[in-house]
Amino acid sequence: MSVNSLSGRFLILTTVFVMLAEVLIFVPSVARFREDYLALRLEKAQIASLALLANDMIDARLETELLENAGVFNVVLRRDEARQLVLSSEIPAPVSATYDLRDPPALVLIRDAMLRLLTPGNQVIRVLGNPVREAGLLIEVTMESGPLRAEMIDYGLRILVLSAMISAVTALLLFLAVRRFLVHPIKRVVRAMMSYAEAPEDARRIIQPSASVQELRDAETALAAMQTQLSGALRQKERLAQLGGAVAKISHDLRNILTTAQLFGDRLEASEDPLVKRSAPKLVNSISRAVNLCESTLAFGKAEEPPPVLDRVILANLVGDVVEAERLASGEHDVSFSEDVPATMVVRADPEQLYRVIGNLLRNARQAIIGTGEAGEIAVQAVETDTEWTIRVRDTGPGLPPKARDHLYQPFQGGSRKGGFGLGLAIAAELVRGHGGRLELEGSGPDGTTFAIRLPKVVMELDAAAE
């Protein structure tokens, strides 16, 4: 624990303030002890004087013993307006101070007590007080200050030791309470920020407000909103950066495509050649490719994928919907589909985004098979373990070319078919990362291609995410 840490500084401040409170208690306690000590001496002196008054025939030895027992040099009683020296002995030094205990102010008692503690040596002092049980108007004694100061020091040391123990226990309890209710939640927020910084695209790392302290919960709520906005901004920035890097290539390809269309257009306008009918479809195809390229580019550049809204999804139903749509899209082409998904399997995912991921993989597989002009099959299989769900999409297509494998998830570079732009896999991989999972190419060759979608079962803990 560092002194610069919140816990360390709180422990120091707690100890200081508790000790300050104990000092404020210590000073009046010592003053009260001094008052009680002097009052006890007055009471003992009064008892000794009453013994003498009861028997005037007391010898000097007994008088000395009474004075020593009372701890004083002499006793003066004022009774019936007469001042009488009851007991007396030799005083070793002049009286240095007089203290009146007849209803003194609290500040005077505290001042006299502190001065006595700070004054070393043994002096003779006079103490005035009221006799107990109304046994006179006034009692006055002279006594030594040394024993009083020694008793006060002994009492003060005991108070200080007890105060130190109370301070230590109080500081420890407060320290543990603050660590439990403040420091730990703050550290959780810090771990959430560090975890999010490692993978801003992972929606599982956006903090979920759970603090019981209202101020901390408000901070967590604000942090979650900021992380959500930042994730969207980062995705948009990444897409715009990728789009900017591809502008030169797109412009070159678009210029070539439009040049071809322009040549065919000029031929249509300037010639009555019978080949016009055969040229017209080429012109239409060229323009269509240009339009598709522009639409895909604009769609990718302005799209902003929201964080996934995780829900429990019956996977068999979702896969069935995707397969049915692709089966209709295949039309008259000889493409068959098979599903091997347990009817009871439920995954935690965003249903719309998972539909798009599986749909992109099936669409790529269908287009690859159709491009060969031969019959083919697409199979979807799902299995689960204790830690993750795995969805595999296999096809019997021609496999991915080397260029596509080298730039598999890079937009505008990973296209595997003629006229493709490589956006499908890039979008699918991004959506899977948003679920905390990964999209893997398990194999690709002349016999076909297999992709695997791996989704984690357990939401990542902050401690694990920060490692």
Side-chain angles (χ1 to χ4, degrees):
M1 179 183 61
S2 172
V3 177
N4 294 326
S5 66
L6 179 61
S7 301
R9 292 188 175 184
F10 184 83
L11 179 59
I12 294 174
L13 289 176
T14 301
T15 304
V16 170
F17 286 130
V18 171
M19 289 300 296
L20 179 61
E22 293 297 336
V23 169
L24 296 178
I25 296 173
F26 169 81
V27 173
S29 298
V30 172
R32 181 58 184 269
F33 175 82
R34 171 183 171 277
E35 182 184 19
D36 293 340
Y37 182 92
L38 296 177
L40 180 61
R41 293 296 176 273
L42 290 175
E43 184 177 353
K44 287 183 177 182
Q46 180 181 343
I47 293 173
S49 64
L50 291 176
L52 177 61
L53 292 174
N55 185 3
D56 292 335
M57 303 302 293
I58 188 170
D59 59 21
R61 184 179 59 81
L62 182 56
E63 182 178 357
T64 302
E65 184 176 348
L66 289 174
L67 289 172
E68 290 178 353
N69 182 64
V72 298
F73 293 119
N74 55 43
V75 181
V76 175
L77 279 177
R78 182 180 294 176
R79 306 177 66 184
D80 301 328
E81 299 297 329
R83 188 171 182 272
Q84 180 182 2
L85 180 63
V86 181
L87 294 172
S88 65
S89 63
E90 183 180 358
I91 300 177
V95 175
S96 62
T98 299
Y99 302 104
D100 193 348
L101 298 184
R102 294 173 294 178
D103 195 22
L107 292 179
V108 172
L109 289 175
I110 293 175
R111 180 200 64 189
D112 292 340
M114 294 299 102
L115 288 175
R116 178 52 50 199
L117 279 176
L118 298 175
T119 304
N122 190 13
Q123 300 173 337
V124 177
I125 60 175
R126 178 183 291 112
V127 182
L128 307 177
N130 293 317
V132 297
R133 299 185 181 277
E134 300 180 356
L137 300 177
L138 174 70
I139 184 171
E140 173 184 329
V141 300
T142 55
M143 55 183 290
E144 292 179 313
S145 65
L148 169 62
R149 183 172 181 272
E151 291 288 341
M152 291 175 64
I153 292 175
D154 179 70
Y155 176 80
L157 290 176
R158 286 187 277 116
I159 288 293
L160 286 177
V161 171
L162 180 61
S163 300
M165 295 175 60
I166 294 175
S167 300
V169 173
T170 304
L172 178 61
L173 293 177
L174 288 175
F175 172 75
L176 295 177
V178 168
R179 280 185 63 87
R180 173 65 179 84
F181 296 107
L182 288 179
V183 177
H184 285 175
I186 291 175
K187 286 185 176 181
R188 177 181 179 274
V189 174
V190 174
R191 290 197 301 270
M193 296 173 65
M194 295 174 61
S195 172
Y196 175 79
E198 293 180 357
E201 71 278 2
D202 189 349
R204 297 176 307 155
R205 304 197 181 203
I206 296 178
I207 189 172
Q208 300 297 324
S210 62
S212 57
V213 180
Q214 183 61 42
E215 290 77 6
L216 286 176
R217 189 174 183 87
D218 292 342
E220 289 179 347
T221 301
L223 177 60
M226 182 191 69
Q227 289 175 335
T228 301
Q229 296 174 359
L230 182 59
S231 294
L234 289 175
R235 281 191 293 269
Q236 180 70 3
K237 183 177 180 179
E238 181 182 359
R239 290 186 173 206
L240 291 176
Q242 294 170 346
L243 180 61
V247 165
K249 295 181 179 179
I250 295 174
S251 299
H252 180 269
D253 293 341
L254 184 60
R255 184 177 64 249
N256 292 339
I257 294 172
L258 294 179
T259 299
T260 302
Q262 184 178 11
L263 291 175
F264 280 108
D266 292 341
R267 188 169 184 180
L268 286 174
E269 292 179 357
S271 175
E272 295 294 333
D273 195 312
L275 294 177
V276 168
K277 292 184 180 180
R278 291 196 298 271
S279 301
K282 296 181 180 180
L283 176 61
V284 172
N285 290 337
S286 297
I287 296 176
S288 296
R289 285 195 297 274
V291 171
N292 289 337
L293 176 58
C294 294
E295 289 179 350
S296 298
T297 303
L298 292 176
F300 180 79
K302 70 179 181 180
E304 181 178 359
E305 300 296 346
V309 180
L310 302 181
D311 197 1
R312 296 174 62 84
V313 180
I314 300 177
L315 186 59
N317 295 343
L318 187 145
V319 171
D321 293 342
V322 178
V323 169
E324 182 63 25
E326 291 302 315
R327 185 178 285 116
L328 292 175
S330 63
E332 298 179 354
H333 297 283
D334 191 5
V335 180
S336 61
F337 296 85
S338 65
E339 306 169 44
D340 183 12
V341 180
T344 58
M345 181 179 292
V346 178
V347 301
R348 185 186 297 109
D350 185 314
E352 295 299 325
Q353 293 189 4
L354 186 58
Y355 183 99
R356 292 171 59 190
V357 172
I358 299 176
N360 276 332
L361 295 178
L362 265 65
R363 185 179 306 109
N364 287 346
R366 173 177 58 80
Q367 292 173 348
I369 293 175
I370 292 175
T372 63
E374 300 178 359
E377 180 182 0
I378 302 173
V380 182
Q381 179 191 30
V383 295
E384 64 177 319
T385 64
D386 293 337
T387 58
E388 66 180 9
W389 294 284
T390 302
I391 307 169
R392 288 185 174 86
V393 177
R394 296 188 179 93
D395 65 66
T396 59
L400 296 174
K403 180 182 178 181
R405 288 196 293 268
D406 293 339
H407 307 281
L408 194 57
Y409 304 120
Q410 298 180 19
F412 308 106
Q413 298 186 44
S416 60
R417 63 182 177 85
K418 184 178 181 180
F421 309 119
L423 291 177
L425 286 178
I427 294 174
E430 179 183 345
L431 294 178
V432 174
R433 283 198 304 271
H435 286 72
R438 58 192 186 278
L439 178 61
E440 298 179 349
L441 174 63
E442 290 192 337
S444 182
D447 296 332
T449 301
T450 302
F451 279 95
I453 305 168
R454 301 187 185 277
L455 301 176
K457 276 191 172 183
V458 181
V459 176
M460 183 177 296
E461 296 292 339
L462 289 177
D463 289 340
E467 294 178 356

